[in-house]
Amino acid sequence: MFSCSCFFSLDAENLRYDSVTYYQEKAIGLYRKSAWKEAISTYSILTKYDSLPVKAQAYLNIALCYRKMNQKDSSRINVDRSVNILNRLPPSYFKYNSLLKSGILFKNYGYYESAIEQLTIAYKGFTEISNDAKKATLCNILAETHRLIGNQEMATRYYHENLSLSKLIGDSLKISNSYNALGNLHKSLDQSDSAIFYYKEAIHLQESTPTKKELGRKYHNLGTVYYKDKNYNLAEKNFLDALALKSETEDYRSLPYTLNELAMLAVLQNKNEEAESYLKKSFQHIGSISNQDVVARYHYVHYRYLKSLYKRRKHLQPENK
């Protein structure tokens, strides 16, 4: 027979498991409803549990909630707490995937050295457990992070490894994303012909799949190269395609990127009413943007619009005699 203590031990373990599941599901439900503060309160309960994986995941989810609330410092604090726990855990898919997510948050906030540190640990981990799909994802993010700090040699290495792994896996969408990433690299190096080539490859390949998600972003990227080359007609064509696809796929967070550029093109063509319309639409979504470069671009374009409007009105004003 089992002793009573055994039964009580088993019941206590089940209770802990069931309560963790309950709070996780409750927090996820609140997160999906954009009830960030309530979700944080629920995830905070899970940080009190003894289980290190449960605590690490809870802190990471709290960080994600703070990111949604555009509270960068609070998000960073909780990512750090999660990472400190994760790096004490034995090798596992959970550990490396959580470090991948942490690295992405660090990158998005501009903490590039911290991002590279955690992403590299995850890269080595997924190499050890032979997960090529996750390794390909990591290569892309590592490459992008190195590109942002000007380390073009490492960026090129990881971008090409990402492309090789994507082809090995045989995933058309991942290959498309790899071409898009290479387009980003060559655009940053002012190599327009190569950038255009890779962006077109990315678009062509994704259009052969049933997935339209983020296709609008690739059209936008192609448009930015044409804009830099002052080929405004092709820039506008691709921006309009991007806008249509982003609207169709409800990619609202990236809409301001394209709306800003369409407004700028309208300003350059003295189409002030069009510019005003695009700027108003961009403003509707700008509050949800954490990328300060996009926010700064909006304000710059708005300044150019007001300047153009002032010049136009001054030109039409009759001279005093």
Side-chain angles (χ1 to χ4, degrees):
M1 292 180 64
F2 292 104
S3 68
C4 290
S5 62
C6 288
F7 280 107
F8 281 119
S9 175
L10 181 61
D11 288 342
E13 189 63 36
N14 284 338
L15 180 61
R16 280 194 294 273
Y17 173 79
D18 289 339
S19 61
V20 167
T21 304
Y22 167 76
Y23 286 121
Q24 285 176 336
E25 291 180 352
K26 180 181 178 182
I28 290 170
L30 291 166
Y31 184 91
R32 288 173 177 168
K33 293 177 181 177
S34 302
W36 316 125
K37 291 182 179 179
E38 293 83 353
I40 289 170
S41 296
T42 306
Y43 281 127
S44 295
I45 296 171
L46 292 168
T47 65
K48 310 301 181 185
Y49 281 73
D50 294 332
S51 169
L52 291 181
V54 169
K55 291 167 77 77
Q57 186 65 47
Y59 281 125
L60 184 56
N61 286 330
I62 289 171
L64 290 169
C65 289
Y66 277 121
R67 180 174 182 267
K68 291 288 188 180
M69 297 165 67
N70 290 323
Q71 294 186 23
K72 180 179 177 179
D73 292 339
S74 295
S75 183
R76 171 67 194 264
I77 289 169
N78 284 280
V79 178
D80 284 335
R81 288 170 177 167
S82 180
V83 165
N84 288 336
I85 296 171
L86 289 167
N87 283 316
R88 290 154 52 192
L89 297 177
S92 68
Y93 176 91
F94 167 79
K95 173 181 178 176
Y96 301 131
N97 196 48
S98 297
L99 288 173
L100 165 59
K101 293 176 182 178
S102 300
I104 291 172
L105 280 174
F106 282 138
K107 170 184 168 290
N108 289 343
Y109 287 141
Y111 303 122
Y112 299 127
E113 296 301 329
S114 296
I116 289 171
E117 181 182 359
Q118 301 311 319
L119 291 169
T120 301
I121 294 171
Y123 170 86
K124 292 177 180 177
F126 281 122
T127 300
E128 290 173 4
I129 63 176
S130 301
N131 191 317
D132 287 339
K134 281 294 180 181
K135 189 177 173 183
T137 299
L138 270 156
C139 283
N140 188 42
I141 301 166
L142 273 165
E144 177 67 9
T145 310
H146 278 291
R147 185 183 69 81
L148 289 169
I149 61 175
N151 193 344
Q152 305 300 347
E153 183 179 348
M154 290 297 291
T156 302
R157 172 199 149 184
Y158 280 118
Y159 276 135
H160 282 285
E161 185 177 359
N162 168 253
L163 179 59
S164 297
L165 286 167
S166 298
K167 288 181 176 179
L168 181 66
I169 296 165
D171 187 323
S172 295
L173 189 57
K174 283 186 179 292
I175 298 170
S176 170
N177 292 338
S178 298
Y179 283 133
N180 183 68
L182 282 165
N184 291 338
L185 174 65
H186 287 284
K187 181 174 73 171
S188 70
L189 297 172
D190 291 323
Q191 297 170 352
S192 295
D193 289 344
S194 295
I196 289 169
F197 169 78
Y198 282 118
Y199 283 141
K200 285 185 174 181
E201 287 292 298
I203 291 168
H204 175 72
L205 197 54
Q206 184 167 346
E207 286 182 334
S208 69
T209 74
T211 305
K212 289 187 178 181
K213 184 181 179 182
E214 297 192 1
L215 180 59
R217 300 187 183 197
K218 292 168 184 173
Y219 272 103
H220 174 91
N221 290 341
L222 181 57
T224 61
V225 183
Y226 287 127
Y227 178 86
K228 285 179 70 175
D229 289 347
K230 297 186 178 180
N231 190 336
Y232 296 140
N233 288 334
L234 281 177
E236 184 175 28
K237 178 184 180 301
N238 282 279
F239 286 142
L240 288 171
D241 287 340
L243 184 63
L245 282 162
K246 288 180 178 184
S247 300
E248 181 184 346
T249 57
E250 300 181 352
D251 189 7
Y252 299 127
R253 287 182 66 85
S254 73
L255 277 175
Y257 292 68
T258 303
L259 289 165
N260 288 347
E261 301 312 316
L262 283 166
M264 189 70 240
L265 285 171
V267 169
L268 293 173
Q269 298 173 74
N270 294 315
K271 297 178 180 178
N272 290 323
E273 288 185 3
E274 277 190 28
E276 181 182 15
S277 176
Y278 287 131
L279 285 166
K280 282 182 178 179
K281 290 174 182 176
S282 180
F283 184 75
Q284 292 173 3
H285 300 281
I286 211 76
S288 64
I289 299 295
S290 59
N291 188 327
Q292 291 305 303
D293 289 339
V294 180
V295 177
R297 179 66 170 169
Y298 166 82
H299 289 296
Y300 172 74
V301 176
H302 190 258
Y303 160 75
R304 289 289 302 272
Y305 158 71
L306 292 175
K307 187 176 179 181
S308 174
L309 202 62
Y310 172 77
K311 285 184 176 180
R312 176 70 174 165
R313 288 176 178 173
K314 188 176 181 180
H315 175 74
L316 293 175
Q317 193 174 33
E319 293 183 10
N320 293 324
K321 294 184 178 180

